PDB file of all heavy atoms in Angstrom:
ATOM      1  N   ILE A   1     -15.768  47.966  24.972  1.00 94.00           N
ATOM      2  CA  ILE A   1     -16.894  47.172  25.467  1.00 94.00           C
ATOM      3  C   ILE A   1     -17.819  46.766  24.334  1.00 94.00           C
ATOM      4  O   ILE A   1     -18.178  45.599  24.184  1.00 94.00           O
ATOM      5  CB  ILE A   1     -17.660  47.958  26.550  1.00 94.00           C
ATOM      6  CG1 ILE A   1     -16.799  48.089  27.811  1.00 94.00           C
ATOM      7  CG2 ILE A   1     -18.991  47.285  26.875  1.00 94.00           C
ATOM      8  CD1 ILE A   1     -17.370  48.991  28.865  1.00 94.00           C
ATOM      9  N   ASN A   2     -18.210  47.737  23.521  1.00 97.00           N
ATOM     10  CA  ASN A   2     -19.100  47.466  22.390  1.00 97.00           C
ATOM     11  C   ASN A   2     -18.285  47.532  21.110  1.00 97.00           C
ATOM     12  O   ASN A   2     -18.091  48.598  20.519  1.00 97.00           O
ATOM     13  CB  ASN A   2     -20.236  48.496  22.366  1.00 97.00           C
ATOM     14  CG  ASN A   2     -21.107  48.423  23.605  1.00 97.00           C
ATOM     15  OD1 ASN A   2     -21.593  47.361  23.963  1.00 97.00           O
ATOM     16  ND2 ASN A   2     -21.291  49.557  24.265  1.00 97.00           N
ATOM     17  N   MET A   3     -17.802  46.375  20.696  1.00 98.00           N
ATOM     18  CA  MET A   3     -16.926  46.305  19.528  1.00 98.00           C
ATOM     19  C   MET A   3     -17.747  46.006  18.276  1.00 98.00           C
ATOM     20  O   MET A   3     -18.601  45.114  18.288  1.00 98.00           O
ATOM     21  CB  MET A   3     -15.851  45.247  19.740  1.00 98.00           C
ATOM     22  CG  MET A   3     -14.896  45.595  20.875  1.00 98.00           C
ATOM     23  SD  MET A   3     -13.675  44.318  21.213  1.00 98.00           S
ATOM     24  CE  MET A   3     -14.691  43.055  22.001  1.00 98.00           C
ATOM     25  N   PRO A   4     -17.508  46.762  17.207  1.00 98.00           N
ATOM     26  CA  PRO A   4     -18.313  46.579  15.993  1.00 98.00           C
ATOM     27  C   PRO A   4     -17.966  45.296  15.250  1.00 98.00           C
ATOM     28  O   PRO A   4     -16.815  44.843  15.261  1.00 98.00           O
ATOM     29  CB  PRO A   4     -17.966  47.810  15.164  1.00 98.00           C
ATOM     30  CG  PRO A   4     -16.585  48.193  15.608  1.00 98.00           C
ATOM     31  CD  PRO A   4     -16.514  47.842  17.060  1.00 98.00           C
ATOM     32  N   PHE A   5     -18.993  44.717  14.611  1.00 98.00           N
ATOM     33  CA  PHE A   5     -18.800  43.522  13.784  1.00 98.00           C
ATOM     34  C   PHE A   5     -19.438  43.787  12.435  1.00 98.00           C
ATOM     35  O   PHE A   5     -20.553  44.317  12.352  1.00 98.00           O
ATOM     36  CB  PHE A   5     -19.453  42.300  14.446  1.00 98.00           C
ATOM     37  CG  PHE A   5     -18.912  40.988  13.976  1.00 98.00           C
ATOM     38  CD1 PHE A   5     -17.768  40.459  14.537  1.00 98.00           C
ATOM     39  CD2 PHE A   5     -19.534  40.278  12.960  1.00 98.00           C
ATOM     40  CE1 PHE A   5     -17.255  39.236  14.102  1.00 98.00           C
ATOM     41  CE2 PHE A   5     -19.046  39.067  12.521  1.00 98.00           C
ATOM     42  CZ  PHE A   5     -17.891  38.530  13.088  1.00 98.00           C
ATOM     43  N   ASP A   6     -18.746  43.423  11.388  1.00 98.00           N
ATOM     44  CA  ASP A   6     -19.214  43.676  10.030  1.00 98.00           C
ATOM     45  C   ASP A   6     -20.471  42.865   9.715  1.00 98.00           C
ATOM     46  O   ASP A   6     -20.536  41.664  10.019  1.00 98.00           O
ATOM     47  CB  ASP A   6     -18.096  43.323   9.036  1.00 98.00           C
ATOM     48  CG  ASP A   6     -18.504  43.578   7.600  1.00 98.00           C
ATOM     49  OD1 ASP A   6     -18.503  44.748   7.187  1.00 98.00           O
ATOM     50  OD2 ASP A   6     -18.841  42.591   6.901  1.00 98.00           O
ATOM     51  N   ALA A   7     -21.468  43.521   9.118  1.00 98.00           N
ATOM     52  CA  ALA A   7     -22.753  42.867   8.855  1.00 98.00           C
ATOM     53  C   ALA A   7     -22.600  41.683   7.906  1.00 98.00           C
ATOM     54  O   ALA A   7     -23.214  40.622   8.100  1.00 98.00           O
ATOM     55  CB  ALA A   7     -23.759  43.877   8.301  1.00 98.00           C
ATOM     56  N   ALA A   8     -21.785  41.828   6.875  1.00 98.00           N
ATOM     57  CA  ALA A   8     -21.586  40.733   5.921  1.00 98.00           C
ATOM     58  C   ALA A   8     -20.853  39.561   6.580  1.00 98.00           C
ATOM     59  O   ALA A   8     -21.173  38.395   6.319  1.00 98.00           O
ATOM     60  CB  ALA A   8     -20.799  41.235   4.709  1.00 98.00           C
ATOM     61  N   LYS A   9     -19.896  39.874   7.432  1.00 98.00           N
ATOM     62  CA  LYS A   9     -19.188  38.816   8.161  1.00 98.00           C
ATOM     63  C   LYS A   9     -20.148  38.063   9.088  1.00 98.00           C
ATOM     64  O   LYS A   9     -20.057  36.836   9.247  1.00 98.00           O
ATOM     65  CB  LYS A   9     -18.055  39.421   8.991  1.00 98.00           C
ATOM     66  CG  LYS A   9     -16.859  39.898   8.180  1.00 98.00           C
ATOM     67  CD  LYS A   9     -15.973  38.745   7.751  1.00 98.00           C
ATOM     68  CE  LYS A   9     -14.675  39.240   7.146  1.00 98.00           C
ATOM     69  NZ  LYS A   9     -13.825  38.118   6.656  1.00 98.00           N
ATOM     70  N   PHE A  10     -21.085  38.816   9.695  1.00 98.00           N
ATOM     71  CA  PHE A  10     -22.067  38.166  10.560  1.00 98.00           C
ATOM     72  C   PHE A  10     -22.907  37.184   9.754  1.00 98.00           C
ATOM     73  O   PHE A  10     -23.135  36.035  10.189  1.00 98.00           O
ATOM     74  CB  PHE A  10     -22.978  39.203  11.222  1.00 98.00           C
ATOM     75  CG  PHE A  10     -24.087  38.579  12.038  1.00 98.00           C
ATOM     76  CD1 PHE A  10     -23.881  38.248  13.364  1.00 98.00           C
ATOM     77  CD2 PHE A  10     -25.328  38.299  11.468  1.00 98.00           C
ATOM     78  CE1 PHE A  10     -24.886  37.655  14.116  1.00 98.00           C
ATOM     79  CE2 PHE A  10     -26.338  37.705  12.210  1.00 98.00           C
ATOM     80  CZ  PHE A  10     -26.117  37.378  13.545  1.00 98.00           C
ATOM     81  N   ASP A  11     -23.396  37.628   8.606  1.00 98.00           N
ATOM     82  CA  ASP A  11     -24.243  36.753   7.785  1.00 98.00           C
ATOM     83  C   ASP A  11     -23.506  35.472   7.407  1.00 98.00           C
ATOM     84  O   ASP A  11     -24.072  34.369   7.471  1.00 98.00           O
ATOM     85  CB  ASP A  11     -24.692  37.489   6.523  1.00 98.00           C
ATOM     86  CG  ASP A  11     -25.666  38.616   6.814  1.00 98.00           C
ATOM     87  OD1 ASP A  11     -26.235  38.646   7.922  1.00 98.00           O
ATOM     88  OD2 ASP A  11     -25.848  39.483   5.923  1.00 98.00           O
ATOM     89  N   ALA A  12     -22.240  35.604   7.035  1.00 98.00           N
ATOM     90  CA  ALA A  12     -21.457  34.435   6.637  1.00 98.00           C
ATOM     91  C   ALA A  12     -21.221  33.504   7.824  1.00 98.00           C
ATOM     92  O   ALA A  12     -21.315  32.275   7.696  1.00 98.00           O
ATOM     93  CB  ALA A  12     -20.122  34.884   6.040  1.00 98.00           C
ATOM     94  N   LEU A  13     -20.926  34.094   8.994  1.00 98.00           N
ATOM     95  CA  LEU A  13     -20.689  33.277  10.193  1.00 98.00           C
ATOM     96  C   LEU A  13     -21.980  32.601  10.640  1.00 98.00           C
ATOM     97  O   LEU A  13     -21.972  31.418  11.022  1.00 98.00           O
ATOM     98  CB  LEU A  13     -20.122  34.152  11.311  1.00 98.00           C
ATOM     99  CG  LEU A  13     -19.815  33.461  12.641  1.00 98.00           C
ATOM    100  CD1 LEU A  13     -18.832  32.307  12.443  1.00 98.00           C
ATOM    101  CD2 LEU A  13     -19.266  34.458  13.656  1.00 98.00           C
ATOM    102  N   TYR A  14     -23.090  33.340  10.579  1.00 98.00           N
ATOM    103  CA  TYR A  14     -24.369  32.738  10.959  1.00 98.00           C
ATOM    104  C   TYR A  14     -24.665  31.515  10.082  1.00 98.00           C
ATOM    105  O   TYR A  14     -25.096  30.463  10.584  1.00 98.00           O
ATOM    106  CB  TYR A  14     -25.508  33.747  10.832  1.00 98.00           C
ATOM    107  CG  TYR A  14     -26.853  33.131  11.161  1.00 98.00           C
ATOM    108  CD1 TYR A  14     -27.330  33.124  12.467  1.00 98.00           C
ATOM    109  CD2 TYR A  14     -27.623  32.498  10.183  1.00 98.00           C
ATOM    110  CE1 TYR A  14     -28.526  32.514  12.795  1.00 98.00           C
ATOM    111  CE2 TYR A  14     -28.826  31.879  10.495  1.00 98.00           C
ATOM    112  CZ  TYR A  14     -29.261  31.890  11.798  1.00 98.00           C
ATOM    113  OH  TYR A  14     -30.450  31.274  12.106  1.00 98.00           O
ATOM    114  N   ASP A  15     -24.442  31.639   8.781  1.00 98.00           N
ATOM    115  CA  ASP A  15     -24.702  30.520   7.869  1.00 98.00           C
ATOM    116  C   ASP A  15     -23.846  29.307   8.234  1.00 98.00           C
ATOM    117  O   ASP A  15     -24.311  28.155   8.146  1.00 98.00           O
ATOM    118  CB  ASP A  15     -24.434  30.944   6.424  1.00 98.00           C
ATOM    119  CG  ASP A  15     -25.490  31.906   5.887  1.00 98.00           C
ATOM    120  OD1 ASP A  15     -26.564  32.020   6.509  1.00 98.00           O
ATOM    121  OD2 ASP A  15     -25.231  32.558   4.855  1.00 98.00           O
ATOM    122  N   LYS A  16     -22.606  29.549   8.653  1.00 98.00           N
ATOM    123  CA  LYS A  16     -21.723  28.438   9.039  1.00 98.00           C
ATOM    124  C   LYS A  16     -22.243  27.751  10.310  1.00 98.00           C
ATOM    125  O   LYS A  16     -22.204  26.525  10.417  1.00 98.00           O
ATOM    126  CB  LYS A  16     -20.292  28.944   9.251  1.00 98.00           C
ATOM    127  CG  LYS A  16     -19.596  29.346   7.960  1.00 98.00           C
ATOM    128  CD  LYS A  16     -18.235  29.993   8.218  1.00 98.00           C
ATOM    129  CE  LYS A  16     -17.209  29.004   8.713  1.00 98.00           C
ATOM    130  NZ  LYS A  16     -15.843  29.609   8.758  1.00 98.00           N
ATOM    131  N   VAL A  17     -22.723  28.546  11.265  1.00 98.00           N
ATOM    132  CA  VAL A  17     -23.268  27.965  12.497  1.00 98.00           C
ATOM    133  C   VAL A  17     -24.542  27.176  12.180  1.00 98.00           C
ATOM    134  O   VAL A  17     -24.752  26.079  12.709  1.00 98.00           O
ATOM    135  CB  VAL A  17     -23.552  29.059  13.543  1.00 98.00           C
ATOM    136  CG1 VAL A  17     -24.253  28.469  14.766  1.00 98.00           C
ATOM    137  CG2 VAL A  17     -22.256  29.754  13.964  1.00 98.00           C
ATOM    138  N   ALA A  18     -25.393  27.734  11.310  1.00 98.00           N
ATOM    139  CA  ALA A  18     -26.623  27.036  10.922  1.00 98.00           C
ATOM    140  C   ALA A  18     -26.294  25.707  10.245  1.00 98.00           C
ATOM    141  O   ALA A  18     -26.946  24.676  10.508  1.00 98.00           O
ATOM    142  CB  ALA A  18     -27.465  27.917  10.008  1.00 98.00           C
ATOM    143  N   ASP A  19     -25.290  25.710   9.387  1.00 98.00           N
ATOM    144  CA  ASP A  19     -24.861  24.458   8.739  1.00 98.00           C
ATOM    145  C   ASP A  19     -24.342  23.466   9.780  1.00 98.00           C
ATOM    146  O   ASP A  19     -24.590  22.255   9.679  1.00 98.00           O
ATOM    147  CB  ASP A  19     -23.773  24.747   7.702  1.00 98.00           C
ATOM    148  CG  ASP A  19     -24.324  25.407   6.446  1.00 98.00           C
ATOM    149  OD1 ASP A  19     -25.552  25.371   6.235  1.00 98.00           O
ATOM    150  OD2 ASP A  19     -23.519  25.980   5.685  1.00 98.00           O
ATOM    151  N   TYR A  20     -23.611  23.980  10.762  1.00 98.00           N
ATOM    152  CA  TYR A  20     -23.066  23.122  11.825  1.00 98.00           C
ATOM    153  C   TYR A  20     -24.191  22.439  12.603  1.00 98.00           C
ATOM    154  O   TYR A  20     -24.080  21.253  12.966  1.00 98.00           O
ATOM    155  CB  TYR A  20     -22.199  23.979  12.755  1.00 98.00           C
ATOM    156  CG  TYR A  20     -21.773  23.292  14.029  1.00 98.00           C
ATOM    157  CD1 TYR A  20     -20.667  22.441  14.046  1.00 98.00           C
ATOM    158  CD2 TYR A  20     -22.474  23.498  15.215  1.00 98.00           C
ATOM    159  CE1 TYR A  20     -20.277  21.815  15.222  1.00 98.00           C
ATOM    160  CE2 TYR A  20     -22.092  22.872  16.399  1.00 98.00           C
ATOM    161  CZ  TYR A  20     -20.991  22.029  16.394  1.00 98.00           C
ATOM    162  OH  TYR A  20     -20.610  21.412  17.557  1.00 98.00           O
ATOM    163  N   LEU A  21     -25.277  23.175  12.875  1.00 98.00           N
ATOM    164  CA  LEU A  21     -26.385  22.613  13.641  1.00 98.00           C
ATOM    165  C   LEU A  21     -27.311  21.741  12.790  1.00 98.00           C
ATOM    166  O   LEU A  21     -28.099  20.956  13.340  1.00 98.00           O
ATOM    167  CB  LEU A  21     -27.192  23.736  14.299  1.00 98.00           C
ATOM    168  CG  LEU A  21     -26.477  24.511  15.415  1.00 98.00           C
ATOM    169  CD1 LEU A  21     -27.322  25.686  15.878  1.00 98.00           C
ATOM    170  CD2 LEU A  21     -26.132  23.602  16.595  1.00 98.00           C
ATOM    171  N   SER A  22     -27.250  21.887  11.493  1.00 98.00           N
ATOM    172  CA  SER A  22     -28.090  21.070  10.607  1.00 98.00           C
ATOM    173  C   SER A  22     -27.729  19.588  10.769  1.00 98.00           C
ATOM    174  O   SER A  22     -26.564  19.238  11.017  1.00 98.00           O
ATOM    175  CB  SER A  22     -27.897  21.500   9.153  1.00 98.00           C
ATOM    176  OG  SER A  22     -28.374  22.820   8.948  1.00 98.00           O
ATOM    177  N   ASN A  23     -28.754  18.756  10.664  1.00 98.00           N
ATOM    178  CA  ASN A  23     -28.594  17.301  10.778  1.00 98.00           C
ATOM    179  C   ASN A  23     -28.201  16.844  12.190  1.00 98.00           C
ATOM    180  O   ASN A  23     -27.880  15.674  12.391  1.00 98.00           O
ATOM    181  CB  ASN A  23     -27.566  16.772   9.766  1.00 98.00           C
ATOM    182  CG  ASN A  23     -27.939  17.106   8.336  1.00 98.00           C
ATOM    183  OD1 ASN A  23     -29.015  16.729   7.869  1.00 98.00           O
ATOM    184  ND2 ASN A  23     -27.064  17.853   7.656  1.00 98.00           N
ATOM    185  N   LYS A  24     -28.225  17.760  13.154  1.00 97.00           N
ATOM    186  CA  LYS A  24     -27.900  17.407  14.530  1.00 97.00           C
ATOM    187  C   LYS A  24     -29.175  17.387  15.381  1.00 97.00           C
ATOM    188  O   LYS A  24     -30.208  17.916  14.994  1.00 97.00           O
ATOM    189  CB  LYS A  24     -26.926  18.429  15.140  1.00 97.00           C
ATOM    190  CG  LYS A  24     -25.465  18.272  14.743  1.00 97.00           C
ATOM    191  CD  LYS A  24     -24.607  19.246  15.540  1.00 97.00           C
ATOM    192  CE  LYS A  24     -23.126  18.964  15.373  1.00 97.00           C
ATOM    193  NZ  LYS A  24     -22.656  19.125  14.012  1.00 97.00           N
ATOM    194  N   GLU A  25     -29.063  16.783  16.552  1.00 97.00           N
ATOM    195  CA  GLU A  25     -30.108  16.918  17.557  1.00 97.00           C
ATOM    196  C   GLU A  25     -29.967  18.300  18.190  1.00 97.00           C
ATOM    197  O   GLU A  25     -28.885  18.671  18.655  1.00 97.00           O
ATOM    198  CB  GLU A  25     -29.946  15.836  18.625  1.00 97.00           C
ATOM    199  CG  GLU A  25     -30.997  15.879  19.716  1.00 97.00           C
ATOM    200  CD  GLU A  25     -30.783  14.795  20.749  1.00 97.00           C
ATOM    201  OE1 GLU A  25     -29.718  14.799  21.407  1.00 97.00           O
ATOM    202  OE2 GLU A  25     -31.674  13.938  20.915  1.00 97.00           O
ATOM    203  N   VAL A  26     -31.044  19.079  18.191  1.00 98.00           N
ATOM    204  CA  VAL A  26     -31.003  20.411  18.801  1.00 98.00           C
ATOM    205  C   VAL A  26     -32.200  20.563  19.733  1.00 98.00           C
ATOM    206  O   VAL A  26     -33.243  19.929  19.552  1.00 98.00           O
ATOM    207  CB  VAL A  26     -31.002  21.539  17.743  1.00 98.00           C
ATOM    208  CG1 VAL A  26     -29.741  21.504  16.905  1.00 98.00           C
ATOM    209  CG2 VAL A  26     -32.237  21.488  16.876  1.00 98.00           C
ATOM    210  N   PHE A  27     -32.025  21.425  20.705  1.00 98.00           N
ATOM    211  CA  PHE A  27     -33.027  21.630  21.743  1.00 98.00           C
ATOM    212  C   PHE A  27     -33.559  23.054  21.618  1.00 98.00           C
ATOM    213  O   PHE A  27     -32.784  24.020  21.659  1.00 98.00           O
ATOM    214  CB  PHE A  27     -32.408  21.377  23.117  1.00 98.00           C
ATOM    215  CG  PHE A  27     -31.864  19.988  23.251  1.00 98.00           C
ATOM    216  CD1 PHE A  27     -30.571  19.690  22.831  1.00 98.00           C
ATOM    217  CD2 PHE A  27     -32.648  18.964  23.761  1.00 98.00           C
ATOM    218  CE1 PHE A  27     -30.068  18.398  22.934  1.00 98.00           C
ATOM    219  CE2 PHE A  27     -32.156  17.674  23.868  1.00 98.00           C
ATOM    220  CZ  PHE A  27     -30.862  17.391  23.441  1.00 98.00           C
ATOM    221  N   VAL A  28     -34.863  23.165  21.452  1.00 98.00           N
ATOM    222  CA  VAL A  28     -35.483  24.457  21.131  1.00 98.00           C
ATOM    223  C   VAL A  28     -36.497  24.815  22.215  1.00 98.00           C
ATOM    224  O   VAL A  28     -37.289  23.966  22.645  1.00 98.00           O
ATOM    225  CB  VAL A  28     -36.178  24.408  19.754  1.00 98.00           C
ATOM    226  CG1 VAL A  28     -36.789  25.762  19.413  1.00 98.00           C
ATOM    227  CG2 VAL A  28     -35.179  23.977  18.675  1.00 98.00           C
ATOM    228  N   ARG A  29     -36.460  26.076  22.626  1.00 98.00           N
ATOM    229  CA  ARG A  29     -37.387  26.539  23.662  1.00 98.00           C
ATOM    230  C   ARG A  29     -37.944  27.898  23.294  1.00 98.00           C
ATOM    231  O   ARG A  29     -37.192  28.812  22.938  1.00 98.00           O
ATOM    232  CB  ARG A  29     -36.673  26.636  25.011  1.00 98.00           C
ATOM    233  CG  ARG A  29     -37.579  27.151  26.130  1.00 98.00           C
ATOM    234  CD  ARG A  29     -37.017  26.815  27.484  1.00 98.00           C
ATOM    235  NE  ARG A  29     -36.750  25.388  27.615  1.00 98.00           N
ATOM    236  CZ  ARG A  29     -37.672  24.454  27.828  1.00 98.00           C
ATOM    237  NH1 ARG A  29     -38.953  24.797  27.961  1.00 98.00           N
ATOM    238  NH2 ARG A  29     -37.341  23.191  27.919  1.00 98.00           N
ATOM    239  N   ASP A  30     -39.263  28.027  23.371  1.00 98.00           N
ATOM    240  CA  ASP A  30     -39.922  29.319  23.245  1.00 98.00           C
ATOM    241  C   ASP A  30     -40.169  29.862  24.652  1.00 98.00           C
ATOM    242  O   ASP A  30     -40.698  29.148  25.523  1.00 98.00           O
ATOM    243  CB  ASP A  30     -41.241  29.190  22.479  1.00 98.00           C
ATOM    244  CG  ASP A  30     -41.027  28.964  20.989  1.00 98.00           C
ATOM    245  OD1 ASP A  30     -39.933  29.318  20.498  1.00 98.00           O
ATOM    246  OD2 ASP A  30     -41.933  28.447  20.325  1.00 98.00           O
ATOM    247  N   CYS A  31     -39.780  31.105  24.867  1.00 98.00           N
ATOM    248  CA  CYS A  31     -39.859  31.714  26.187  1.00 98.00           C
ATOM    249  C   CYS A  31     -39.922  33.226  25.985  1.00 98.00           C
ATOM    250  O   CYS A  31     -40.011  33.698  24.848  1.00 98.00           O
ATOM    251  CB  CYS A  31     -38.649  31.321  27.040  1.00 98.00           C
ATOM    252  SG  CYS A  31     -37.061  31.457  26.180  1.00 98.00           S
ATOM    253  N   TYR A  32     -39.889  33.971  27.059  1.00 98.00           N
ATOM    254  CA  TYR A  32     -39.917  35.417  26.883  1.00 98.00           C
ATOM    255  C   TYR A  32     -39.198  36.115  28.022  1.00 98.00           C
ATOM    256  O   TYR A  32     -38.895  35.514  29.062  1.00 98.00           O
ATOM    257  CB  TYR A  32     -41.339  35.941  26.711  1.00 98.00           C
ATOM    258  CG  TYR A  32     -42.270  35.791  27.890  1.00 98.00           C
ATOM    259  CD1 TYR A  32     -42.477  36.836  28.792  1.00 98.00           C
ATOM    260  CD2 TYR A  32     -42.995  34.620  28.090  1.00 98.00           C
ATOM    261  CE1 TYR A  32     -43.358  36.708  29.855  1.00 98.00           C
ATOM    262  CE2 TYR A  32     -43.872  34.475  29.155  1.00 98.00           C
ATOM    263  CZ  TYR A  32     -44.051  35.527  30.030  1.00 98.00           C
ATOM    264  OH  TYR A  32     -44.920  35.402  31.093  1.00 98.00           O
ATOM    265  N   ALA A  33     -38.885  37.377  27.810  1.00 98.00           N
ATOM    266  CA  ALA A  33     -38.288  38.228  28.833  1.00 98.00           C
ATOM    267  C   ALA A  33     -39.256  39.359  29.138  1.00 98.00           C
ATOM    268  O   ALA A  33     -40.067  39.732  28.284  1.00 98.00           O
ATOM    269  CB  ALA A  33     -36.944  38.784  28.353  1.00 98.00           C
ATOM    270  N   CYS A  34     -39.163  39.887  30.344  1.00 98.00           N
ATOM    271  CA  CYS A  34     -39.933  41.037  30.847  1.00 98.00           C
ATOM    272  C   CYS A  34     -41.291  40.602  31.396  1.00 98.00           C
ATOM    273  O   CYS A  34     -42.192  40.218  30.647  1.00 98.00           O
ATOM    274  CB  CYS A  34     -40.113  42.130  29.805  1.00 98.00           C
ATOM    275  SG  CYS A  34     -38.544  42.764  29.167  1.00 98.00           S
ATOM    276  N   ALA A  35     -41.407  40.682  32.726  1.00 98.00           N
ATOM    277  CA  ALA A  35     -42.627  40.241  33.406  1.00 98.00           C
ATOM    278  C   ALA A  35     -43.809  41.158  33.160  1.00 98.00           C
ATOM    279  O   ALA A  35     -44.959  40.736  33.290  1.00 98.00           O
ATOM    280  CB  ALA A  35     -42.357  40.138  34.913  1.00 98.00           C
ATOM    281  N   ASP A  36     -43.551  42.417  32.818  1.00 98.00           N
ATOM    282  CA  ASP A  36     -44.623  43.360  32.496  1.00 98.00           C
ATOM    283  C   ASP A  36     -45.045  43.133  31.052  1.00 98.00           C
ATOM    284  O   ASP A  36     -44.244  43.273  30.122  1.00 98.00           O
ATOM    285  CB  ASP A  36     -44.122  44.790  32.699  1.00 98.00           C
ATOM    286  CG  ASP A  36     -45.237  45.826  32.594  1.00 98.00           C
ATOM    287  OD1 ASP A  36     -46.142  45.653  31.761  1.00 98.00           O
ATOM    288  OD2 ASP A  36     -45.187  46.831  33.334  1.00 98.00           O
ATOM    289  N   ALA A  37     -46.309  42.780  30.851  1.00 97.00           N
ATOM    290  CA  ALA A  37     -46.802  42.422  29.515  1.00 97.00           C
ATOM    291  C   ALA A  37     -46.607  43.536  28.498  1.00 97.00           C
ATOM    292  O   ALA A  37     -46.471  43.272  27.291  1.00 97.00           O
ATOM    293  CB  ALA A  37     -48.275  42.031  29.597  1.00 97.00           C
ATOM    294  N   ASP A  38     -46.593  44.787  28.941  1.00 97.00           N
ATOM    295  CA  ASP A  38     -46.420  45.907  28.016  1.00 97.00           C
ATOM    296  C   ASP A  38     -45.015  45.966  27.430  1.00 97.00           C
ATOM    297  O   ASP A  38     -44.776  46.683  26.449  1.00 97.00           O
ATOM    298  CB  ASP A  38     -46.723  47.235  28.719  1.00 97.00           C
ATOM    299  CG  ASP A  38     -48.192  47.379  29.074  1.00 97.00           C
ATOM    300  OD1 ASP A  38     -49.021  46.711  28.420  1.00 97.00           O
ATOM    301  OD2 ASP A  38     -48.511  48.148  30.002  1.00 97.00           O
ATOM    302  N   TYR A  39     -44.079  45.234  28.024  1.00 98.00           N
ATOM    303  CA  TYR A  39     -42.680  45.290  27.587  1.00 98.00           C
ATOM    304  C   TYR A  39     -42.145  43.918  27.181  1.00 98.00           C
ATOM    305  O   TYR A  39     -40.960  43.760  26.915  1.00 98.00           O
ATOM    306  CB  TYR A  39     -41.811  45.877  28.713  1.00 98.00           C
ATOM    307  CG  TYR A  39     -42.250  47.258  29.118  1.00 98.00           C
ATOM    308  CD1 TYR A  39     -43.237  47.430  30.098  1.00 98.00           C
ATOM    309  CD2 TYR A  39     -41.735  48.387  28.505  1.00 98.00           C
ATOM    310  CE1 TYR A  39     -43.677  48.700  30.451  1.00 98.00           C
ATOM    311  CE2 TYR A  39     -42.161  49.656  28.858  1.00 98.00           C
ATOM    312  CZ  TYR A  39     -43.136  49.805  29.829  1.00 98.00           C
ATOM    313  OH  TYR A  39     -43.561  51.069  30.165  1.00 98.00           O
ATOM    314  N   ARG A  40     -43.019  42.966  27.085  1.00 98.00           N
ATOM    315  CA  ARG A  40     -42.641  41.570  26.837  1.00 98.00           C
ATOM    316  C   ARG A  40     -41.869  41.394  25.532  1.00 98.00           C
ATOM    317  O   ARG A  40     -42.211  41.976  24.503  1.00 98.00           O
ATOM    318  CB  ARG A  40     -43.903  40.720  26.824  1.00 98.00           C
ATOM    319  CG  ARG A  40     -43.691  39.267  26.498  1.00 98.00           C
ATOM    320  CD  ARG A  40     -44.961  38.485  26.749  1.00 98.00           C
ATOM    321  NE  ARG A  40     -44.900  37.138  26.203  1.00 98.00           N
ATOM    322  CZ  ARG A  40     -45.742  36.156  26.533  1.00 98.00           C
ATOM    323  NH1 ARG A  40     -46.704  36.399  27.403  1.00 98.00           N
ATOM    324  NH2 ARG A  40     -45.625  34.965  26.001  1.00 98.00           N
ATOM    325  N   LEU A  41     -40.820  40.562  25.592  1.00 98.00           N
ATOM    326  CA  LEU A  41     -40.009  40.242  24.412  1.00 98.00           C
ATOM    327  C   LEU A  41     -40.011  38.731  24.227  1.00 98.00           C
ATOM    328  O   LEU A  41     -39.456  37.990  25.043  1.00 98.00           O
ATOM    329  CB  LEU A  41     -38.575  40.757  24.602  1.00 98.00           C
ATOM    330  CG  LEU A  41     -37.642  40.577  23.405  1.00 98.00           C
ATOM    331  CD1 LEU A  41     -37.962  41.600  22.325  1.00 98.00           C
ATOM    332  CD2 LEU A  41     -36.180  40.718  23.836  1.00 98.00           C
ATOM    333  N   ASN A  42     -40.649  38.250  23.161  1.00 98.00           N
ATOM    334  CA  ASN A  42     -40.707  36.818  22.887  1.00 98.00           C
ATOM    335  C   ASN A  42     -39.389  36.336  22.275  1.00 98.00           C
ATOM    336  O   ASN A  42     -38.835  36.984  21.374  1.00 98.00           O
ATOM    337  CB  ASN A  42     -41.852  36.505  21.927  1.00 98.00           C
ATOM    338  CG  ASN A  42     -43.202  36.526  22.617  1.00 98.00           C
ATOM    339  OD1 ASN A  42     -43.295  36.718  23.828  1.00 98.00           O
ATOM    340  ND2 ASN A  42     -44.264  36.324  21.860  1.00 98.00           N
TER     341      ASN A  42
END
């Protein structure tokens, strides 16, 4: 269920996704989870 992923591989893959989204139209939303303010996650 919880399969490990190498940290360096993640960084490299993230950079590729960021490059893919660069120069494109992207849709961005700021929102949050957890209705109780003491536990809110932005």
Side-chain angles (χ1 to χ4, degrees):
I1 291 172
N2 298 308
M3 295 177 287
F5 201 84
D6 181 77
K9 287 282 189 183
F10 175 88
D11 291 344
L13 180 57
Y14 177 89
D15 288 345
K16 289 173 71 171
V17 174
D19 286 344
Y20 170 83
L21 292 174
S22 294
N23 302 302
K24 281 186 170 63
E25 181 180 61
V26 295
F27 301 86
V28 181
R29 178 161 306 283
D30 287 338
C31 46
Y32 65 97
C34 302
D36 189 323
D38 292 337
Y39 301 88
R40 176 170 169 164
L41 184 76
N42 283 357

